[in-house]
Amino acid sequence: MPQVRIIAKNFMDMVASLPAMKLDRLYANPFICQAILRSLPPLAKKYVLEMLYIDGPVSAKMLEEWVLADGSSKHRIALDRLIQLRIFTETVDRKKETSYRLNPTFQINLRKHLIDREVLPREPMPSNIVARLPSLEELEAYALGQWECFLLQLINSTQAEKLTNFSSSMMKVFQRGLLSQREKEASRLTESGFQFLLMDTNAQLWYIIREYISNSEERDIDPADLISFLLELSFHITGEAYNMNTLTEIQRHMIKDLADLGLIKLQQGRKESWFIPTKLATNLSVSLTDSSSRKQGFVVVETNFRLYAYSSSKLHCEILRLFSRIEYQLPNLFVGAITKESLYNAFENGITAEQIISFLQQNAHPRVAERIPSVPENVADQIRLWESDLNRVEMTPAHLYDEFPSRDVFEAACDFAREWCGLLWEDSKKMRMVVKAEIHMHMREFLRGQK
Amino acid sequence: MVNATKGLFISCDIPMAQFIINLNASLPALQKFIIHVIDSTHLFVQPHVSEMIRSAISDFRDQNSYEKPN
């Protein structure tokens, strides 16, 4: 199962895992060089800038002298990262001395960028051609609406109003790991699916984009093309219109998918058509380094287990429905109750009490967020108690040993089982013991040897 | 000669242990599954009964809860 939580920060690891050939091709694009430079750890950034105008290799010894002794661990991390991303190439000469030099393509492109600010392959379109452009607020609302619609479809909700243009096979790829897909059974959110819903938008976006890229080879698209276009997109200006005819065939194909995700808005004029990047797109390379600002909360939980959610978002309702019982719903307010039965449903789906409580805490309405705790203690405790009520009986496959010939053999067997961390229970009076089933074979051999 | 018996080791609280013992007593002799009652919170039972016990417990839990109709 994919580890959803760590994926969000892993985009550069994915870049690093590209084969050397493709990585070199990526560095031919100056915008990628810049995006990569931004994502580096501070020390690595410094090394790159310092070596930008050095053409020959720099010996490892000299590089080490640049840092104080206590910075050596950071130094190692920076070097590893640079080598991993093939920004540094390592050479060992005849005297067994290591030296590094910057990747020449990367170096040339960054230098160019410093001297004559590299321009994007496309300019914003002049406003007299373009019809009325959406305002920034409209654009953001559009992006979030589009993203929510995609998420609703992703979790197979019946609430989704319109469907995106993703093929069902593509959707399946996104759902992998988030929904359990058993035959003859309605798919359900898995544990990581629930965690996915709880992540902030940027982290979710990265997860989806990652799946999109790693699946691209099956669709005969080069992942390097995708990555370079996505990074390039993040250097466009939000809210400006860019002409569609500046795009290549592959990019034009991609841009439809990106519009479905809410990364860009497509518009058509009388003759020309253009795309407008939204905040989601321009934040792509920013989100590598810092996460977005916290969204405003909307949930109020009362001590009587009532839950009020001031939100018009259907997605929020879907999430709350996972663990609460809906009482009534107004256009901008969802009222539910946290009941034992509704929680049991959630627990059956692999959602834990801690996840529910932390969701309620993180999304607390500003009016209650200042209170400590923001979720009433009795509610949080009861949720935990109901969860532990489900785990009252613990069963372990085991073997019971009795009729030991002597106390010595019994005690030796107990010690042996303890060494393997397999002793569940012992009764030294009656000389009986229970041992985990995994080590039965070892026990049998041990007891044979005792005879 | 040491004798080994395959089974399930159950560890739970006292009421649950009593519930399982009662369940065992209610079954006909052939279907009895408890091999040893080790102490008040531990039982040793036949290896195949885990699902049966779990579903009996969840039935019992359902009988004891009431869901308000909509």
Side-chain angles (χ1 to χ4, degrees), chain A residues 198-217:
Chain A
L198 302 188
M199 291 195 288
D200 65 74
T201 312
N202 270 332
Q204 287 172 336
L205 190 62
W206 270 120
Y207 178 81
I208 292 299
I209 293 282
R210 202 193 98 109
E211 292 290 301
Y212 184 72
I213 292 173
S214 55
N215 177 255
S216 62
E217 261 164 357

Side-chain angles (χ1 to χ4, degrees), chain A residues 214-276:
Chain A
S214 55
N215 177 255
S216 62
E217 261 164 357
E218 288 164 35
R219 288 172 286 137
D220 288 327
I221 298 175
D222 191 344
D225 284 336
L226 282 180
I227 294 174
S228 79
F229 182 57
L230 279 170
L231 287 178
E232 201 179 287
L233 201 63
S234 67
F235 284 90
H236 287 58
I237 303 163
T238 317
E240 292 283 352
Y242 295 91
N243 202 324
M244 286 280 270
N245 61 22
T246 55
L247 298 174
T248 65
E249 187 77 25
I250 302 167
Q251 289 170 342
R252 228 171 289 174
H253 187 75
M254 253 179 87
I255 215 149
K256 286 203 189 86
D257 291 341
L258 298 183
D260 274 336
L261 293 177
L263 260 65
I264 48 178
K265 187 176 169 65
L266 299 176
Q267 272 190 337
Q268 207 151 16
R270 224 170 286 158
K271 281 184 203 150
E272 320 251 359
S273 55
W274 56 85
F275 66 93
I276 309 162

